[in-house]
Amino acid sequence: MSTQERITPRKLKGFRDYLPQQASLRKHIQDRIYQKAQQAGFLPIDTPVVEYAETLLGTGGTDTDKEVYRFEDHGERMVALRFDLTVPFARFVAENYSELVFPFKKVQIGNSWRGEKPQKGRYREFCQADLDIIGVDSLAADVEVLSCIMSNLVDLVPGSFTMALGHRIILSGLIKACLPQLVAGGENRTLIALDKLAKIGEPAVKDLILQIEGAEAQGAERLLRVLQGRNAAGHTDLNPIKELLAGTPALQEIKRLEETVGLLQQLYQKTKANVRIDLSIARGLGYYTGIVFETTIDGLDGFGSISSGGRYNGLVSRFSSQELAGVGGSIGVDRLLAALEQLGLAEDKTRRGIFIALAGEEGRSYGFQLLGELRAAGVMADIALKEGKLGNQFKFADKRQYQYVLTVGGDEVASKTVSIKDLASGQERKSVPWTEALTELAKLS
């Protein structure tokens, strides 16, 4: 191929490649979440990455709709890439209702796509691990989802982290109490503005609220003041909020939120997990109807959430006459991976496995015999794919972080032995009987 015909290798902005070590850690995170979810009774499902555009649009809000990748397929149908796993799950439940046993607990791990502005640790293609319970509206269901997510993060996050809990019904009540003159649609616009509080700060959020017809400066200031007021424990100060919402349904939701936080604190009091009530948490997606949460790694300021979600009681009714309450949350697999990279904790220098070096062609058949027996014993093992200088084979094994190198050649074939070198210590043993070596090395599995 001529230089003029050669295509420059490049990725689309907001997408990334995963080198072997990154991909391995990513897979480890996914496997850990999946295993713990199944232990807790969550059942695996999967859904297509492409849905009819009408399935997705209008569920997350106008800002999310702008980020949805959509196109006309070969059948001249308007379709779109999923922007999360929750909306397709609601469609899945409606379509497969008769096949499911409710309450239904599900785990799903997969990629989603949003055409948002790429940022550090935030990509246009990203992997999420979702845990959901659908078919029941209860405090226990909320705690079960949040507890299972926290259990995973206790294992996966190296330091302490904080799960901040808000509530859409309480927040909606506060908006109505502080900004009673908002026009139709003004409450949703206020929620979207509040969702930007951590990113752009109070003055900018106040300006956004005042652009909404019917909003008054005094009311906007009062709303922001009560949302950011804190008690001695660092929680949103609920006393002035209870006064504002006296006699409204939101008052009962405050009690439920307090009980939820109390249970989570009791369950995780001896761990590095922190739980905090923060009613300024709004979550930008439009389908939330109750408790909402965001989780951040302590000390990683400005990085953003690694896990989020909430209750969505009305989402399934978009696709069905069935009224099914739901609650769920996501662990951002790629967000967590990016956080570990930023903390300098993503590099795995652990040596593992065995590499078989070939001292000449006469060792090839014997080497493959040993390779098969090692793998049958559950040991990670590889073999040189071509003969060459042993020094170069050892350098390759060292770069690949193998734990041991077994050398086989004519002498080893004749005596049914191997030479074993520990790459970490540099110690080497020659002429070790293979039966003895296999018994020893099988313990590595």
Side-chain angles (χ1 to χ4, degrees):
M1 180 179 287
S2 69
T3 303
Q4 292 178 336
E5 295 174 328
R6 193 169 292 131
I7 298 171
T8 302
R10 54 180 180 163
K11 300 183 295 294
L12 288 167
K13 188 176 182 181
F15 295 77
R16 69 176 296 190
D17 294 323
Y18 293 89
L19 293 170
Q21 188 158 299
Q22 295 169 322
S24 294
L25 179 55
R26 189 176 190 245
K27 185 67 165 57
H28 168 74
I29 293 170
Q30 292 170 339
D31 290 346
R32 193 65 172 266
I33 294 169
Y34 185 76
Q35 180 185 24
K36 288 180 77 70
Q38 287 203 302
Q39 287 175 345
F42 288 82
L43 301 175
I45 71 159
D46 208 353
T47 58
V49 302
V50 178
E51 298 272 359
Y52 282 103
E54 65 181 10
T55 297
L56 303 179
L57 299 178
T59 55
T62 54
D63 282 3
T64 301
D65 282 355
K66 294 175 184 176
E67 298 171 352
V68 173
Y69 285 101
R70 67 190 91 167
F71 53 94
E72 186 178 286
D73 71 0
H74 296 306
E76 299 183 345
R77 293 163 295 213
M78 286 306 300
V79 298
L81 294 176
R82 64 190 183 199
F83 63 84
D84 72 359
L85 300 178
T86 306
V87 177
F89 175 52
R91 190 270 309 152
F92 169 93
V93 169
E95 195 165 350
N96 297 282
Y97 179 81
S98 62
E99 303 295 323
L100 305 176
V101 178
F102 297 97
F104 181 65
K105 300 170 70 174
K106 74 93 172 173
V107 57
Q108 182 180 6
I109 301 177
N111 283 12
S112 297
W113 292 263
R114 292 183 195 173
E116 59 184 342
K117 183 179 179 181
Q119 301 173 47
K120 192 175 185 65
R122 190 177 292 277
Y123 309 100
R124 289 173 170 167
E125 179 182 36
F126 50 93
C127 179
Q128 292 179 306
D130 272 28
L131 300 175
D132 292 83
I133 300 176
I134 202 153
V136 61
D137 185 351
S138 70
L139 185 151
D142 294 346
V143 171
E144 173 70 340
V145 167
L146 297 174
S147 175
C148 288
I149 287 172
M150 290 182 73
S151 175
N152 275 290
L153 295 179
V154 165
D155 287 348
L156 295 169
V157 175
S160 63
F161 62 90
T162 299
M163 179 179 283
L165 279 71
H167 202 290
R168 275 292 185 84
I169 293 176
I170 302 171
L171 190 53
S172 176
L174 288 172
I175 293 171
K176 288 182 174 71
C178 296
L179 299 166
Q181 304 302 318
L182 286 179
V183 296
E187 182 182 323
N188 284 335
R189 290 182 62 190
T190 304
L191 285 168
I192 292 169
L194 291 172
D195 190 49
K196 304 177 189 294
L197 194 57
K199 297 178 183 177
I200 64 177
E202 181 180 335
V205 169
K206 179 184 173 183
D207 289 342
L208 288 175
I209 293 174
L210 293 180
Q211 294 172 23
I212 304 169
E213 187 178 346
E216 297 178 349
Q218 186 176 358
E221 290 167 2
R222 187 181 190 187
L223 176 63
L224 290 167
R225 186 169 61 252
V226 296
L227 288 177
Q228 296 186 96
R230 296 291 180 267
N231 63 20
H235 300 278
T236 296
D237 186 355
L238 295 176
N239 290 323
I241 292 173
K242 289 176 180 178
E243 292 178 12
L244 266 173
L245 300 179
T248 70
L251 206 59
Q252 184 62 31
E253 298 298 335
I254 293 177
K255 180 182 178 183
R256 176 166 162 170
L257 179 60
E258 289 179 309
E259 290 180 7
T260 300
V261 170
L263 272 171
L264 291 172
Q265 288 176 328
Q266 179 182 330
L267 289 168
Y268 292 94
Q269 61 181 329
K270 296 182 180 180
T271 71
K272 54 196 174 182
N274 302 303
V275 189
R276 188 178 75 238
I277 294 176
D278 185 351
L279 290 179
S280 69
I281 300 295
R283 301 293 300 139
L285 294 173
Y287 52 67
Y288 290 119
T289 59
I291 194 170
V292 289
F293 74 94
E294 291 185 348
T295 314
T296 53
I297 296 177
D298 297 341
L300 204 59
D301 298 334
F303 186 82
S305 174
I306 58 168
S307 174
S308 59
R311 178 159 285 283
Y312 50 90
N313 284 355
L315 193 54
V316 174
S317 62
R318 174 182 172 87
F319 308 103
S320 170
S321 60
Q322 301 291 339
E323 295 290 338
L324 290 171
V327 62
S330 299
I331 296 174
V333 174
D334 290 328
R335 293 281 291 162
L336 180 54
L337 177 60
L340 294 175
E341 289 174 337
Q342 187 165 323
L343 291 167
L345 300 171
E347 187 176 355
D348 183 4
K349 296 183 179 180
T350 305
R351 291 188 177 274
R352 55 175 63 88
I354 295 167
F355 182 78
I356 299 175
L358 300 179
E361 292 184 14
E362 61 271 26
R364 185 189 302 131
S365 178
Y366 182 50
F368 270 99
Q369 176 194 330
L370 306 188
L371 183 71
E373 292 182 27
L374 285 167
R375 289 175 177 174
V379 179
M380 173 185 170
D382 198 2
I383 192 169
L385 298 181
K386 69 175 183 178
E387 300 76 29
K389 292 183 179 179
L390 281 176
N392 290 337
Q393 294 182 55
F394 273 77
K395 286 179 182 178
F396 173 82
D398 187 48
K399 287 181 180 179
R400 286 286 306 275
Q401 293 288 304
Y402 283 104
Q403 187 173 357
Y404 295 104
V405 174
L406 308 185
T407 304
V408 294
D411 292 342
E412 287 79 16
V413 172
S415 60
K416 300 301 179 186
T417 61
V418 293
S419 293
I420 305 176
K421 183 170 184 179
D422 185 328
L423 290 180
S425 67
Q427 293 181 344
E428 186 173 11
R429 291 179 292 156
K430 296 182 179 293
S431 302
V432 179
W434 172 238
T435 53
E436 176 185 324
L438 180 60
T439 300
E440 175 187 330
L441 296 172
K443 297 176 183 178
L444 300 176
S445 62

